[in-house]
């Protein structure tokens, strides 16, 4: 039996910390922005490639499935390989996928390109989190994680705006054309001067864990995505099949990880959950992700389907909240370093709940400014929560578990994002189909309001969880 050695928190190459993290931040921002850019592009893609809505939706579903399969493997990948190799692999694969997507002659090629993009994205996000935890001193992690929040919170919110404007003026390929040079420059910059500044440790891939992880997470996310499709009246495999297969595979994965927890073959080390702050923070992150991704799927639908605004207007209406998230994130990070976790996350959870409750009052007569104000309120709440929750979760485990903690948090974010999307779309579809009014706009607005009402109820759970959070103790200097 091989016991995994502890990793140092920082290396002697600390003078390179700033440039390294800056490069990772820029690269991660680009890949996450791309992740949420497809939503408002779907109608244009359907027209340009002559495909149905069910087919076009696979551009998002396949991306999520790939992320769910790859992210769990990064706990081993980031321990085994040096920073430089992981970065060049992630950005190289993402850049290749973007190039293929920008020149795709058919929809099938475009779909393959999105899968390739997802492979790079899945490595980049855990790489960013793990590098920050290894290189940044505990007393400065809050402000650095605040910058990371620009990637995890602001970029998803800005994706629809970015895509909506480009697609409305230049077609669906313009999204990939705009991203390509930035990704290529980041790749070249990393190849020229990026060096290994984080330690490595022995780690091996366990074939059984890989299979169980791939089947479990992909089955769960595919099943959750299918719930929304079936609620919308589209056919396909019965939802219970992938959900059952995924659940059984994940149960097997958990059992195997406990069996391998003291070896260098563990894929997702369950010891991270022995830390109560990690467990509570991760659970709260799941709640926030459900609210965030659910709102990102429903608000454009409400703005376009009920208010009658075009895609680029829907994107612009979400822009103030996205910008505010990015502006607030560094300040929230600095505040975390001074006041800790609970002072920020409890008010944030209350604000998120209030925003979801406000969305539940949407009607066909709701003015545009009110929708923008509600989204800004949601953005303020999530900004107050994401940085402290991420910093608390990752800072609550031992340094040798950073890569595993990052992989688990990012995987659960993908699963909860899929769950949020499925939940909101299902509630919306059921409410619309059961509406007694002949007024279509009123029925659509009622469906949106019903979904957000349930979202508000779920957000209350986040409030309860945050009350019990504590700031991780800093190691003695």
């Amino acid at each position: 039996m091989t016991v995994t050695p502890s990793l140092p928190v920082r290396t002697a190459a600390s003078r390179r910390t700033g440039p390294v993290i800056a490069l990772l931040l820029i690269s991660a921002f680009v890949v996450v922005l791309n992740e949420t850019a497809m939503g408002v592009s779907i109608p244009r893609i359907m027209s340009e490639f002559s495909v149905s809505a069910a087919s076009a939706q696979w551009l998002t579903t396949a991306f999520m499935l790939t992320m769910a399969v790859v992210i769990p493997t990064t706990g081993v990948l980031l321990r085994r390989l040096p920073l430089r190799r992981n970065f060049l692999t992630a950005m190289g694969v993402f850049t290749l996928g973007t190039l293929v997507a920008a020149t795709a002659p058919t929809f099938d090629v475009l779909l393959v390109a999105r899968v390739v993009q997802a492979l790079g994205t899945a490595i980049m996000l855990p790489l960013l989190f793990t590098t920050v935890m290894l290189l940044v001193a505990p007393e400065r992690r809050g402000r650095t994680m605040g910058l990371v929040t620009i990637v995890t919170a602001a970029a998803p919110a800005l994706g629809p705006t970015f895509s909506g404007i480009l697609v409305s003026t230049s077609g669906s390929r313009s999204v990939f054309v705009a991203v390509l040079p930035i990704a290529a420059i980041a790749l070249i910059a990393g190849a020229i001067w990026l060096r290994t500044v984080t330690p490595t440790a022995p780690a091996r891939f366990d074939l059984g864990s890989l299979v169980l992880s791939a089947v479990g997470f992909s089955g769960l996310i595919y099943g959750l995505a299918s719930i929304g499709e079936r609620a919308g009246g589209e056919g396909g495999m019965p939802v219970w099949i992938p959900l059952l297969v995924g659940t059984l595979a994940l149960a097997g994965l958990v059992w195997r990880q406990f069996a391998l927890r003291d070896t260098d073959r563990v894929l997702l080390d369950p010891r991270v959950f022995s830390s109560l702050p990690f467990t509570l923070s991760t659970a709260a992150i799941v709640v926030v992700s459900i609210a965030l991704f659910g709102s990102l799927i429903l608000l454009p639908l409400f703005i376009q389907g009920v208010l009658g605004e075009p895609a680029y207007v829907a994107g612009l209406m979400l822009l103030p909240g996205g910008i505010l998230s990015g502006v607030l994130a560094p300040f929230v990070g600095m505040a975390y370093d001074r006041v800790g976790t609970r002072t920020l996350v409890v008010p944030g959870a209350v604000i998120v709940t209030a925003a979801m409750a406000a969305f539940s009052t949407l009607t066909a007569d709701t003015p545009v400014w009110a929708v923008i104000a509600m989204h800004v309120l949601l953005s303020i709440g999530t900004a107050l929560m994401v940085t402290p929750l991420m910093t608390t979760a990752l800072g609550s485990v031992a340094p040798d578990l950073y890569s595993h903690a990052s992989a688990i948090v990012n995987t659960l974010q993908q699963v909860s994002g899929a769950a949020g999307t499925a939940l909101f779309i299902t509630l919306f579809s059921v409410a619309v189909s059961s509406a007694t009014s002949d007024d279509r706009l009123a029925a659509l607005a009622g469906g949106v309001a019903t979904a957000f009402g349930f979202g508000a109820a779920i957000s209350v759970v986040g409030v309860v969880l945050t009350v019990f959070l504590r700031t991780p103790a800093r190691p003695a200097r």
Side-chain angles (χ1 to χ4, degrees):
M1 180 174 67
T2 304
V3 179
T4 304
S6 297
L7 298 177
V9 176
R10 293 175 296 281
T11 70
S14 58
R15 66 184 181 276
R16 302 183 65 91
T17 296
V20 166
I21 292 178
L23 177 61
L24 292 178
L25 282 170
I26 294 171
S27 303
F29 186 89
V30 171
V31 301
V32 175
L33 184 77
N34 167 84
E35 181 179 1
T36 58
M38 282 292 97
V40 298
S41 305
I42 295 299
R44 188 68 173 263
I45 289 172
M46 292 168 57
S47 174
E48 292 180 0
F49 289 94
S50 300
V51 295
S52 66
S55 297
Q57 192 60 44
W58 270 99
L59 294 174
T60 298
T61 303
F63 196 102
M64 295 168 60
L65 287 172
T66 305
M67 294 274 285
V69 170
V70 177
I71 287 179
T73 70
T74 59
V76 174
L77 196 64
L78 299 185
R79 293 178 60 82
R80 182 175 181 174
L81 301 178
L83 169 66
R84 174 184 168 85
R85 188 178 303 178
N86 280 317
F87 176 83
L88 293 180
T89 299
M91 284 309 294
V93 169
F94 177 81
T95 303
L96 174 62
T98 305
L99 175 62
V100 174
T103 58
T106 66
F107 178 79
D108 290 340
V109 175
L110 178 60
L111 182 59
V112 171
R114 285 288 287 172
V115 170
V116 175
Q117 282 187 316
L119 290 171
T121 304
I123 299 173
M124 181 57 65
L125 290 176
L127 178 63
L128 172 60
F129 285 115
T130 303
T131 303
V132 167
M133 296 304 296
L134 287 171
L135 296 186
V136 178
E139 63 271 15
R140 295 182 58 86
R141 282 179 185 160
R143 65 195 68 186
T144 305
M145 289 296 285
L147 297 175
V148 173
T149 303
I150 298 176
V151 171
T152 59
L158 292 173
T161 303
F162 168 77
S163 176
I165 294 173
L166 286 177
V167 169
S168 297
T169 57
S170 305
S172 63
R173 296 180 193 273
S174 60
V175 175
F176 305 109
V177 172
V179 166
L180 181 59
I182 304 174
I185 291 171
L187 176 61
I188 293 170
I192 292 175
W193 65 266
L194 189 62
R195 297 293 178 265
T196 296
V197 292
T198 56
T200 58
R204 293 181 294 165
F205 286 106
D206 174 64
L207 180 59
S209 297
L210 289 174
V211 172
L212 288 170
S213 173
V215 174
F217 286 113
S218 62
L220 194 61
I221 285 190
Y222 178 80
L224 289 170
S226 298
I227 291 175
E229 293 177 1
R230 294 297 291 268
E234 298 184 16
M237 180 187 301
V239 171
W240 66 268
I241 295 178
L243 288 178
L244 178 61
V245 171
T247 301
L248 292 176
L250 288 180
L253 176 66
V254 171
W255 174 83
R256 190 164 182 83
Q257 299 320 290
F258 274 102
L260 298 174
R261 64 184 181 277
D262 294 323
T263 75
D264 62 1
R265 293 192 296 142
V266 63
L267 184 68
L268 295 170
D269 200 318
R271 290 178 296 177
V272 297
F273 290 104
S274 64
S275 166
L276 183 60
F278 175 85
T279 303
L280 290 176
S281 298
T282 302
I285 288 169
V286 167
V287 173
V288 174
S289 297
I290 289 174
L292 180 61
F293 280 88
S295 63
L296 285 177
I297 194 71
L298 269 196
L299 283 180
L301 189 153
F302 174 80
I303 294 167
Q304 295 178 70
V306 178
L307 301 185
E309 302 291 350
Y312 75 91
V313 172
L316 288 174
M317 288 176 65
L318 300 179
L319 182 60
I323 292 177
L324 185 61
S325 292
V327 171
L328 286 178
F331 295 101
V332 172
M334 289 187 284
Y336 172 85
D337 289 331
R338 294 195 303 270
V339 302
T341 306
R342 236 180 356 171
T343 305
L344 296 168
V345 296
V346 173
V350 172
I351 292 173
V352 167
T353 304
M356 301 298 281
F359 281 131
S360 71
T361 67
L362 291 173
T363 69
D365 298 321
T366 301
V368 167
W369 66 264
V371 178
I372 296 174
M374 293 174 191
H375 183 249
V376 166
L377 186 66
L378 177 64
S379 300
I380 293 173
T382 54
L384 287 173
M385 294 184 71
V386 173
T387 295
L389 288 176
M390 286 288 188
T391 310
T392 299
L394 299 182
S396 300
V397 302
D400 58 301
L401 296 176
Y402 285 157
S403 60
H404 291 286
S406 175
I408 288 171
V409 170
N410 279 280
T411 300
L412 291 179
Q413 275 191 306
Q414 292 299 313
V415 173
S416 56
T421 299
L423 173 67
F424 277 52
I425 289 297
T426 300
L427 291 171
F428 164 78
S429 300
V430 171
V432 170
S433 63
S434 60
T436 57
S437 172
D438 293 331
D439 187 338
R440 179 177 175 275
L441 292 183
L444 292 174
V448 170
T450 298
F452 276 115
F454 277 88
I458 293 172
S459 298
V460 173
V461 177
V463 176
V464 175
L465 290 171
T466 57
V467 169
F468 296 98
L469 279 174
R470 299 291 186 273
T471 306
R474 291 172 179 170
R477 296 175 64 95

